[in-house]
mmCIF file of all heavy atoms in Angstrom:
data_model
loop_
_atom_site.group_PDB
_atom_site.id
_atom_site.type_symbol
_atom_site.label_atom_id
_atom_site.label_comp_id
_atom_site.label_asym_id
_atom_site.label_seq_id
_atom_site.Cartn_x
_atom_site.Cartn_y
_atom_site.Cartn_z
ATOM 1 N N LYS A 1453 75.980 -47.759 -28.681
ATOM 2 C CA LYS A 1453 76.713 -46.597 -28.186
ATOM 3 C C LYS A 1453 75.863 -45.652 -27.419
ATOM 4 O O LYS A 1453 76.135 -45.197 -26.258
ATOM 5 C CB LYS A 1453 77.368 -45.783 -29.321
ATOM 6 C CG LYS A 1453 78.204 -44.600 -28.857
ATOM 7 C CD LYS A 1453 78.756 -43.872 -30.047
ATOM 8 C CE LYS A 1453 77.666 -43.152 -30.845
ATOM 9 N NZ LYS A 1453 78.186 -42.292 -31.939
ATOM 10 N N TYR A 1454 74.664 -45.344 -27.870
ATOM 11 C CA TYR A 1454 73.684 -44.568 -27.171
ATOM 12 C C TYR A 1454 73.358 -45.102 -25.821
ATOM 13 O O TYR A 1454 73.242 -44.521 -24.824
ATOM 14 C CB TYR A 1454 72.422 -44.386 -27.992
ATOM 15 C CG TYR A 1454 72.505 -43.579 -29.271
ATOM 16 C CD1 TYR A 1454 71.515 -43.568 -30.211
ATOM 17 C CD2 TYR A 1454 73.692 -42.905 -29.622
ATOM 18 C CE1 TYR A 1454 71.569 -42.914 -31.360
ATOM 19 C CE2 TYR A 1454 73.837 -42.213 -30.777
ATOM 20 C CZ TYR A 1454 72.770 -42.165 -31.702
ATOM 21 O OH TYR A 1454 72.888 -41.558 -32.914
ATOM 22 N N PHE A 1455 73.073 -46.416 -25.905
ATOM 23 C CA PHE A 1455 72.567 -47.164 -24.627
ATOM 24 C C PHE A 1455 73.589 -47.150 -23.587
ATOM 25 O O PHE A 1455 73.378 -46.819 -22.413
ATOM 26 C CB PHE A 1455 72.250 -48.621 -25.048
ATOM 27 C CG PHE A 1455 71.752 -49.433 -23.791
ATOM 28 C CD1 PHE A 1455 70.498 -49.146 -23.297
ATOM 29 C CD2 PHE A 1455 72.582 -50.364 -23.279
ATOM 30 C CE1 PHE A 1455 70.107 -49.900 -22.161
ATOM 31 C CE2 PHE A 1455 72.206 -51.046 -22.092
ATOM 32 C CZ PHE A 1455 70.949 -50.805 -21.603
ATOM 33 N N LEU A 1456 74.874 -47.465 -23.919
ATOM 34 C CA LEU A 1456 75.956 -47.546 -22.933
ATOM 35 C C LEU A 1456 76.265 -46.160 -22.354
ATOM 36 O O LEU A 1456 76.528 -45.976 -21.081
ATOM 37 C CB LEU A 1456 77.225 -48.073 -23.551
ATOM 38 C CG LEU A 1456 77.118 -49.631 -23.906
ATOM 39 C CD1 LEU A 1456 78.413 -50.095 -24.673
ATOM 40 C CD2 LEU A 1456 76.915 -50.464 -22.691
ATOM 41 N N THR A 1457 76.219 -45.180 -23.259
ATOM 42 C CA THR A 1457 76.552 -43.766 -22.764
ATOM 43 C C THR A 1457 75.429 -43.201 -21.874
ATOM 44 O O THR A 1457 75.717 -42.695 -20.709
ATOM 45 C CB THR A 1457 76.657 -42.862 -23.967
ATOM 46 O OG1 THR A 1457 77.651 -43.326 -24.876
ATOM 47 C CG2 THR A 1457 77.089 -41.398 -23.562
ATOM 48 N N ILE A 1458 74.156 -43.421 -22.202
ATOM 49 C CA ILE A 1458 73.091 -42.871 -21.400
ATOM 50 C C ILE A 1458 72.985 -43.720 -20.122
ATOM 51 O O ILE A 1458 72.593 -43.140 -19.061
ATOM 52 C CB ILE A 1458 71.732 -42.875 -22.109
ATOM 53 C CG1 ILE A 1458 70.675 -42.005 -21.468
ATOM 54 C CG2 ILE A 1458 71.205 -44.275 -22.346
ATOM 55 C CD1 ILE A 1458 70.937 -40.538 -21.627
ATOM 56 N N THR A 1459 73.272 -44.987 -20.222
ATOM 57 C CA THR A 1459 73.249 -45.829 -19.041
ATOM 58 C C THR A 1459 74.386 -45.369 -17.965
ATOM 59 O O THR A 1459 74.035 -45.375 -16.743
ATOM 60 C CB THR A 1459 73.433 -47.325 -19.361
ATOM 61 O OG1 THR A 1459 72.353 -47.715 -20.224
ATOM 62 C CG2 THR A 1459 73.420 -48.219 -18.044
ATOM 63 N N LEU A 1460 75.530 -45.099 -18.429
ATOM 64 C CA LEU A 1460 76.590 -44.700 -17.518
ATOM 65 C C LEU A 1460 76.254 -43.360 -16.894
ATOM 66 O O LEU A 1460 76.491 -43.133 -15.715
ATOM 67 C CB LEU A 1460 77.925 -44.500 -18.294
ATOM 68 C CG LEU A 1460 79.074 -43.990 -17.463
ATOM 69 C CD1 LEU A 1460 79.416 -44.862 -16.324
ATOM 70 C CD2 LEU A 1460 80.322 -43.680 -18.349
ATOM 71 N N ALA A 1461 75.645 -42.386 -17.676
ATOM 72 C CA ALA A 1461 75.281 -41.119 -17.160
ATOM 73 C C ALA A 1461 74.203 -41.306 -16.105
ATOM 74 O O ALA A 1461 74.234 -40.726 -15.043
ATOM 75 C CB ALA A 1461 74.743 -40.207 -18.255
ATOM 76 N N TRP A 1462 73.237 -42.156 -16.388
ATOM 77 C CA TRP A 1462 72.127 -42.468 -15.434
ATOM 78 C C TRP A 1462 72.670 -43.099 -14.196
ATOM 79 O O TRP A 1462 72.243 -42.775 -13.075
ATOM 80 C CB TRP A 1462 71.153 -43.433 -16.094
ATOM 81 C CG TRP A 1462 69.751 -42.962 -16.062
ATOM 82 C CD1 TRP A 1462 69.168 -41.993 -15.245
ATOM 83 C CD2 TRP A 1462 68.620 -43.424 -16.825
ATOM 84 N NE1 TRP A 1462 67.874 -41.933 -15.473
ATOM 85 C CE2 TRP A 1462 67.514 -42.777 -16.443
ATOM 86 C CE3 TRP A 1462 68.457 -44.492 -17.857
ATOM 87 C CZ2 TRP A 1462 66.200 -43.024 -16.997
ATOM 88 C CZ3 TRP A 1462 67.271 -44.723 -18.351
ATOM 89 C CH2 TRP A 1462 66.121 -44.015 -17.955
ATOM 90 N N PHE A 1463 73.593 -44.024 -14.317
ATOM 91 C CA PHE A 1463 74.136 -44.744 -13.185
ATOM 92 C C PHE A 1463 74.880 -43.737 -12.251
ATOM 93 O O PHE A 1463 74.738 -43.748 -11.055
ATOM 94 C CB PHE A 1463 75.068 -45.906 -13.584
ATOM 95 C CG PHE A 1463 75.796 -46.515 -12.516
ATOM 96 C CD1 PHE A 1463 75.285 -47.572 -11.778
ATOM 97 C CD2 PHE A 1463 77.091 -46.134 -12.181
ATOM 98 C CE1 PHE A 1463 75.982 -48.143 -10.720
ATOM 99 C CE2 PHE A 1463 77.826 -46.694 -11.108
ATOM 100 C CZ PHE A 1463 77.269 -47.743 -10.432
ATOM 101 N N SER A 1464 75.701 -42.920 -12.890
ATOM 102 C CA SER A 1464 76.551 -42.111 -12.085
ATOM 103 C C SER A 1464 75.790 -41.018 -11.340
ATOM 104 O O SER A 1464 76.062 -40.769 -10.153
ATOM 105 C CB SER A 1464 77.614 -41.425 -13.030
ATOM 106 O OG SER A 1464 76.986 -40.569 -13.971
ATOM 107 N N LEU A 1465 74.787 -40.385 -12.034
ATOM 108 C CA LEU A 1465 74.012 -39.372 -11.282
ATOM 109 C C LEU A 1465 73.202 -39.958 -10.159
ATOM 110 O O LEU A 1465 72.993 -39.318 -9.156
ATOM 111 C CB LEU A 1465 73.104 -38.573 -12.301
ATOM 112 C CG LEU A 1465 71.952 -39.277 -12.941
ATOM 113 C CD1 LEU A 1465 70.683 -39.038 -12.143
ATOM 114 C CD2 LEU A 1465 71.750 -38.725 -14.438
ATOM 115 N N ASN A 1466 72.643 -41.194 -10.352
ATOM 116 C CA ASN A 1466 71.810 -41.764 -9.276
ATOM 117 C C ASN A 1466 72.662 -42.283 -8.196
ATOM 118 O O ASN A 1466 72.181 -42.277 -6.994
ATOM 119 C CB ASN A 1466 70.955 -42.884 -9.924
ATOM 120 C CG ASN A 1466 69.749 -42.345 -10.545
ATOM 121 O OD1 ASN A 1466 68.797 -42.039 -9.887
ATOM 122 N ND2 ASN A 1466 69.724 -42.171 -11.891
ATOM 123 N N LEU A 1467 73.892 -42.686 -8.436
ATOM 124 C CA LEU A 1467 74.817 -43.086 -7.347
ATOM 125 C C LEU A 1467 75.066 -41.922 -6.452
ATOM 126 O O LEU A 1467 74.983 -42.021 -5.255
ATOM 127 C CB LEU A 1467 76.082 -43.600 -7.887
ATOM 128 C CG LEU A 1467 77.062 -44.214 -6.871
ATOM 129 C CD1 LEU A 1467 76.491 -45.496 -6.213
ATOM 130 C CD2 LEU A 1467 78.396 -44.513 -7.458
ATOM 131 N N SER A 1468 75.295 -40.692 -7.058
ATOM 132 C CA SER A 1468 75.517 -39.565 -6.307
ATOM 133 C C SER A 1468 74.260 -39.115 -5.540
ATOM 134 O O SER A 1468 74.293 -38.804 -4.364
ATOM 135 C CB SER A 1468 75.900 -38.364 -7.230
ATOM 136 O OG SER A 1468 77.105 -38.639 -7.886
ATOM 137 N N TYR A 1469 73.128 -39.173 -6.260
ATOM 138 C CA TYR A 1469 71.861 -38.759 -5.718
ATOM 139 C C TYR A 1469 71.504 -39.623 -4.480
ATOM 140 O O TYR A 1469 71.196 -39.035 -3.378
ATOM 141 C CB TYR A 1469 70.689 -38.928 -6.672
ATOM 142 C CG TYR A 1469 69.362 -38.614 -6.222
ATOM 143 C CD1 TYR A 1469 68.903 -37.249 -6.282
ATOM 144 C CD2 TYR A 1469 68.535 -39.501 -5.791
ATOM 145 C CE1 TYR A 1469 67.626 -36.918 -5.857
ATOM 146 C CE2 TYR A 1469 67.238 -39.152 -5.337
ATOM 147 C CZ TYR A 1469 66.798 -37.820 -5.391
ATOM 148 O OH TYR A 1469 65.565 -37.542 -4.901
ATOM 149 N N TYR A 1470 71.632 -40.956 -4.501
ATOM 150 C CA TYR A 1470 71.251 -41.792 -3.435
ATOM 151 C C TYR A 1470 72.222 -41.770 -2.311
ATOM 152 O O TYR A 1470 71.892 -41.906 -1.133
ATOM 153 C CB TYR A 1470 70.960 -43.181 -3.869
ATOM 154 C CG TYR A 1470 69.642 -43.349 -4.651
ATOM 155 C CD1 TYR A 1470 69.560 -43.611 -5.937
ATOM 156 C CD2 TYR A 1470 68.443 -43.188 -3.869
ATOM 157 C CE1 TYR A 1470 68.361 -43.718 -6.665
ATOM 158 C CE2 TYR A 1470 67.245 -43.281 -4.521
ATOM 159 C CZ TYR A 1470 67.132 -43.553 -5.959
ATOM 160 O OH TYR A 1470 65.956 -43.727 -6.568
ATOM 161 N N CYS A 1471 73.565 -41.671 -2.601
ATOM 162 C CA CYS A 1471 74.525 -41.534 -1.574
ATOM 163 C C CYS A 1471 74.284 -40.291 -0.744
ATOM 164 O O CYS A 1471 74.281 -40.332 0.491
ATOM 165 C CB CYS A 1471 75.930 -41.441 -2.173
ATOM 166 S SG CYS A 1471 76.684 -42.992 -2.647
#
Side-chain angles (χ1 to χ4, degrees):
K1453 179 182 71 174
Y1454 294 168
F1455 178 75
L1456 293 176
T1457 304
I1458 197 72
T1459 298
L1460 176 62
W1462 230 345
F1463 173 84
S1464 61
L1465 71 90
N1466 277 279
L1467 187 67
S1468 301
Y1469 179 87
Y1470 283 111
C1471 278

